[in-house]
Amino acid sequence: MKFYIVDAFTETTFGGNPAGVVILPEGSDFPSDETMVKTAAELRYSETAFIRRLNQKEFQIRYFTPAAEVELCGHATIGSFCALLYGGYIEDNCTYMNHTLSGDLNIAVKDGFVLMDMAEPVKINEISDPAALEELYRIMGLSYEEQKSRGVNLLPQMISTGLPDIMMPVATQADLAAIAPDFPALSKLSERYEVVGVHAFTLDGEGDAVKTTCHVRNFAPLYDIDEEAATGTSNGALTYYGYLNGFVADGDDCRFVQGEAMNRPSVILSHLDVDCSAGGCEEGAARPCFIQVGGSGVVLAEGEIHI
């Protein structure tokens, strides 16, 4: 089986978020789940994508962390189609279908840039109880009351565009950098809330040379990922959170900067469209929304896996 290591959501080697990509031989089926988990653990990246080609335009991709299978992974999808393009499996400036456990997603490849559809955005719940708010922020190494006094007036919400995460607002980039989670406690909290992890963000863009929607950090220790340098699904979810909370509008292009605390700066782009054809698009309406997330990727290594 052919494998690639791809830095996704970057145009520079050693930037972005690295993913393993394994391309199955033509006509073969997926290995056992145990084999794919062990392969992901051996490659030691947060996610490894296993790609099975169905026909010229359709692929089935399954995603594995070193601990378990997940339904969807944004950066591993970007990495997958960058690897497929690099290896000559697909052509540039074409559209493809990606069949995942999270649904069937269109993938557009244009001039080496990969743009992927997110699953239908869903707001699952929000955290509003004072004790629960303080618990969340305390586990993340902050104080909710302090954040509130510094201007945080948005509530954390569980949002999914394929994978559920807690969107957690903080006041400033300095507060974002100061996050130091209690990882065992965060794993238990994530399990209790039935989410992958916490996607912390700030709207503070002071000093940015380029307009940025949010600076973000992502933590998912429940899946053996203490911190991740770029997360497509989470920033897709944050795009929807922004729409629900008034800082992202219909037709907006968003820019998320992630990975700074890991010295792997990443830029994740997203686009939001609201379908008003069926009505119900008054201010504050939650649906129907369509979100795309995109980025570039750089192939770092390639080789053969013998399993």
Side-chain angles (χ1 to χ4, degrees):
M1 293 189 292
K2 189 78 173 179
F3 83 91
Y4 297 88
I5 304 302
V6 186
D7 292 331
F9 293 119
T10 182
E11 295 180 352
T12 306
T13 304
F14 304 119
N17 197 359
V21 176
V22 178
I23 301 176
L24 305 183
E26 196 79 25
S28 65
D29 205 347
F30 291 103
S32 69
D33 289 7
E34 180 184 9
T35 296
M36 289 190 280
V37 168
K38 286 182 176 179
T39 302
E42 192 76 9
L43 290 176
R44 297 177 183 173
Y45 294 103
S46 58
E47 275 92 3
T48 294
F50 293 81
I51 305 175
R52 177 173 172 251
R53 183 168 212 150
L54 303 179
N55 56 50
Q56 288 300 110
K57 292 287 188 177
E58 296 184 65
F59 297 86
Q60 182 183 2
I61 302 183
R62 294 177 65 185
Y63 306 89
F64 286 81
T65 76
E69 183 172 15
V70 294
E71 292 185 351
L72 183 66
C73 174
H75 83 273
T77 302
I78 300 297
S80 292
F81 281 87
C82 288
L84 287 167
L85 181 63
Y86 177 88
Y89 298 90
I90 61 173
E91 296 180 0
D92 204 351
N93 297 304
C94 291
T95 300
Y96 300 90
M97 176 64 70
N98 179 20
H99 299 276
T100 77
L101 291 178
S102 190
D104 297 339
L105 307 176
N106 289 312
I107 307 290
V109 182
K110 185 176 181 181
D111 299 329
F113 184 88
V114 179
L115 194 65
M116 55 182 278
D117 285 356
M118 293 284 95
E120 181 181 358
V122 177
K123 175 186 172 183
I124 300 166
N125 207 339
E126 71 180 20
I127 301 174
S128 57
D129 176 74
L133 286 166
E134 193 56 50
E135 176 192 37
L136 170 63
Y137 281 81
R138 176 180 50 77
I139 286 173
M140 300 303 291
L142 302 174
S143 162
Y144 176 70
E145 286 303 318
E146 287 184 8
Q147 290 299 300
K148 192 175 178 181
S149 71
R150 293 179 191 176
V152 171
N153 56 11
L154 299 172
L155 290 173
Q157 295 177 341
M158 292 81 149
I159 305 285
S160 176
T161 52
L163 293 174
D165 273 312
I166 299 172
M167 305 293 116
M168 191 189 91
V170 300
T172 68
Q173 292 186 49
D175 293 314
L176 190 71
I179 288 175
D182 177 339
F183 289 116
L186 179 54
S187 293
K188 291 179 181 177
L189 186 77
S190 300
E191 193 168 27
R192 193 169 86 229
Y193 281 132
E194 297 182 341
V195 297
V196 173
V198 169
H199 197 58
F201 72 93
T202 180
L203 295 170
D204 171 29
E206 185 178 352
D208 287 357
V210 180
K211 185 177 183 298
T212 296
T213 304
C214 298
H215 287 257
V216 303
R217 294 179 70 184
N218 186 272
F219 307 90
L222 181 62
Y223 288 87
D224 287 350
I225 306 167
D226 285 350
E227 183 168 1
E228 200 153 37
T231 44
T233 53
S234 300
N235 286 300
L238 184 53
T239 302
Y240 188 59
Y241 177 98
Y243 172 65
L244 296 179
N245 289 278
F247 62 84
V248 175
D250 180 18
D252 275 1
D253 293 307
C254 302
R255 183 177 186 270
F256 303 104
V257 176
Q258 189 174 339
E260 295 163 299
M262 305 172 68
N263 293 317
R264 295 194 69 97
S266 308
V267 175
I268 301 96
L269 306 177
S270 73
H271 180 80
L272 171 77
D273 282 318
V274 181
D275 181 7
C276 294
S277 61
C281 283
E282 67 277 1
E283 186 176 351
R287 265 182 265 180
C289 289
F290 301 94
I291 295 171
Q292 294 175 304
V293 168
S296 303
V298 180
V299 173
L300 173 66
E302 60 181 301
E304 295 286 336
I305 294 180
H306 303 288
I307 54 176

